Amino acid sequence: MAALSAWFWNERFWLPHNVTWADLADPAPGVEYPKAGHLFAALPLALGIFAVRIIFERFIAGPCARTLHLQPGVARRAQPNAVLEKVFRSITKNPDTRHLDGLSKQLDWEVRKVQRWFRHRRNQDKPSTHTKFCESMWRFTFYLGIFTYGFQFLWQSPWMWDTRHCWYGYPYQVMTPGLYHYYVTELAFYWSLMFSQFTDIKRKDFLIMFIHHLATVGLISFSYVNNMARVGSLVMCVHDASDFLLEAAKLANYAKYQRLCDFLFIVFSVVFFITRLVIYPVWVLNSTMFESWAIVGPFPSWWLFNFLLLVLQLLHIIWSYLIARIAIKAMLRGKVSHSSLGQVRYFFPVLQHWNRVSSRLHLSLWCELLL
């Protein structure tokens, strides 16, 4: 076990040349450097966020949904049928013609009646509009809050105005309370999303989203442990800028405020393009690739860090194209449809942070899934 730990925490991977973990172990009084153990605080905080979400959805989002005439529950449930239920659970949820004909004869039902039963049964497993509204309202509230906090914190930080401060004195950079709270809160939120997957209605993308949240947690932790939190905070803020706008558009869509939905989707698209295709490469990548090279110099975890950021930039370009295509189709139809926002919902979460790279490789498939 000791050998495995020594291999994982190899100083030559994590730290610049001539720097050891011992150099960071005993800072001056009142000075704190990032340590892996700090991240354990995110676990109880995640449980707290999960509890707050339950309370928020029940006592704030739920009444708001009912005010907008969005009622909980499934509109029409499939009538109980043991034979069809067994087929649905163990064989197929979308029976082909052969199965439909066989079930029709076995139950003495018309084929259309069997088809209707399976359609109603599939709809039972889908979250209602009320449920989706409450979830989006919670995410909107959190994303807006964390973006406001992050932007206010960075406004007072020197590395927002001169990104070379991300690298001056690296890795001997003090972990300030504000930066620590920003990182741990983001990390705790994605831990809470992992927890909530086991209590929410199980969706088609359960495994995909679980891997996504796990990758997010791992990569946030990676940037914290090797003390690249300053530039990480810049990237998180850049990506947080459009999160709440997408959730706001979804809320308007669920409430059937179509014009507001269209307007918010346009604003989201503009902010998305500016932050991903302009600010991110010009502000962030320039700093991580060139300024850091000049001030600190490359080392193994530096190469991995920049590789992930470059992969993310490639995904930005691909997904910007897809957003533009959705927007053009919506304009041709005259509105942003429910399915358009559904497509955005499945690829956008990766773009919310620089560290969500590894969970969206089969984008074209997932974009066909709807909310």
Side-chain angles (χ1 to χ4, degrees):
M1 195 67 180
L4 178 63
S5 177
W7 171 82
F8 181 82
W9 295 109
N10 191 310
E11 295 165 342
R12 298 286 58 83
F13 172 80
W14 290 96
L15 301 173
H17 301 297
N18 301 321
V19 179
T20 67
W21 293 118
D23 297 331
L24 302 172
D26 297 311
V31 173
E32 190 69 52
Y33 297 138
K35 294 183 177 66
H38 295 168
L39 298 178
F40 287 118
L43 294 175
L45 181 59
L47 293 175
I49 290 175
F50 182 55
V52 170
R53 174 194 167 179
I54 294 173
I55 295 170
F56 178 90
E57 291 186 358
R58 178 169 298 182
F59 297 105
I60 299 178
C64 289
R66 287 190 289 273
T67 300
L68 295 168
H69 307 293
L70 302 177
Q71 300 300 324
V74 180
R76 179 177 295 181
R77 304 183 69 87
Q79 68 183 78
N81 188 293
V83 174
L84 296 181
E85 185 69 24
K86 183 177 181 180
V87 173
F88 182 86
R89 290 182 177 274
S90 60
I91 300 177
T92 179
K93 297 181 180 181
N94 294 279
D96 56 19
T97 303
R98 182 175 62 84
H99 281 105
L100 289 172
D101 290 339
L103 291 169
S104 174
K105 294 176 181 178
Q106 182 179 352
L107 298 172
D108 195 23
W109 284 11
E110 294 182 359
V111 171
R112 293 185 64 182
K113 185 176 181 181
V114 178
Q115 289 177 317
R116 191 181 308 117
W117 187 96
F118 275 93
R119 183 174 66 253
H120 291 165
R121 183 63 183 83
R122 288 192 299 269
N123 289 338
Q124 284 182 210
D125 290 343
K126 295 180 180 179
S128 65
T129 302
H130 179 280
T131 299
K132 291 184 288 188
F133 181 92
C134 292
E135 178 183 302
S136 286
M137 189 170 179
W138 162 247
R139 293 187 183 222
F140 168 79
T141 303
F142 179 85
Y143 292 149
L144 180 59
I146 198 66
F147 171 71
T148 302
Y149 174 84
F151 187 79
Q152 182 181 22
F153 166 74
L154 289 172
W155 188 269
Q156 305 170 38
S157 303
W159 58 88
M160 180 172 184
W161 309 106
D162 183 356
T163 51
R164 289 174 295 182
H165 282 278
C166 292
W167 311 106
Y168 289 151
Y170 179 87
Y172 304 101
Q173 294 176 340
V174 177
M175 176 54 63
T176 63
L179 184 55
Y180 172 77
H181 294 150
Y182 190 20
Y183 248 75
V184 171
T185 302
E186 290 270 14
L187 181 60
F189 178 69
Y190 289 101
W191 273 119
S192 74
L193 291 182
M194 290 181 66
F195 299 154
S196 65
Q197 279 195 284
F198 295 95
T199 59
D200 292 344
I201 295 174
K202 193 169 183 178
R203 300 182 179 180
K204 292 180 180 179
D205 66 339
F206 176 89
L207 181 59
I208 294 169
M209 293 305 295
F210 183 82
I211 295 172
H212 158 260
H213 298 326
L214 190 62
T216 301
V217 166
L219 291 169
I220 288 178
S221 302
F222 169 81
S223 67
Y224 184 90
V225 169
N226 70 350
N227 205 6
M228 292 184 178
R230 289 186 179 183
V231 72
S233 67
L234 295 180
V235 184
M236 288 194 296
C237 188
V238 166
H239 289 79
D240 285 342
S242 55
D243 292 8
F244 66 92
L245 293 171
L246 177 61
E247 297 301 330
K250 288 159 64 177
L251 289 172
N253 186 57
Y254 298 144
K256 302 189 184 305
Y257 292 141
Q258 193 59 54
R259 290 186 179 180
L260 178 60
C261 174
D262 295 344
F263 171 75
L264 289 171
F265 185 79
I266 292 171
V267 175
F268 155 74
S269 300
V270 171
V271 172
F272 186 93
F273 295 146
I274 292 174
T275 54
R276 274 33 173 219
L277 301 183
V278 180
I279 296 177
Y280 178 80
V282 173
W283 194 38
V284 176
L285 288 181
N286 177 67
S287 180
T288 61
M289 296 181 66
F290 301 110
E291 292 178 347
S292 65
W293 182 290
I295 297 171
V296 179
F299 52 99
S301 66
W302 179 94
W303 287 105
L304 177 59
F305 183 75
N306 279 284
F307 171 76
L308 294 174
L309 293 180
L310 286 172
V311 171
L312 182 57
Q313 180 57 31
L314 177 62
L315 297 178
H316 287 171
I317 295 170
I318 295 171
W319 286 318
S320 294
Y321 162 75
L322 292 173
I323 289 179
R325 191 172 68 177
I326 291 171
I328 291 170
K329 287 182 179 179
M331 286 188 291
L332 292 176
R333 285 196 301 266
K335 65 178 183 177
V336 178
S337 69
H338 178 78
S339 61
S340 297
L341 288 175
Q343 291 178 24
V344 176
R345 180 244 189 259
Y346 275 91
F347 67 77
F348 183 68
V350 187
L351 305 175
Q352 292 170 347
H353 291 294
W354 62 270
N355 47 25
R356 303 180 210 179
V357 177
S358 63
S359 63
R360 285 293 192 276
L361 299 180
H362 300 292
L363 173 67
S364 59
L365 171 63
W366 300 334
C367 282
E368 298 303 320
L369 300 174
L370 303 180
L371 277 171

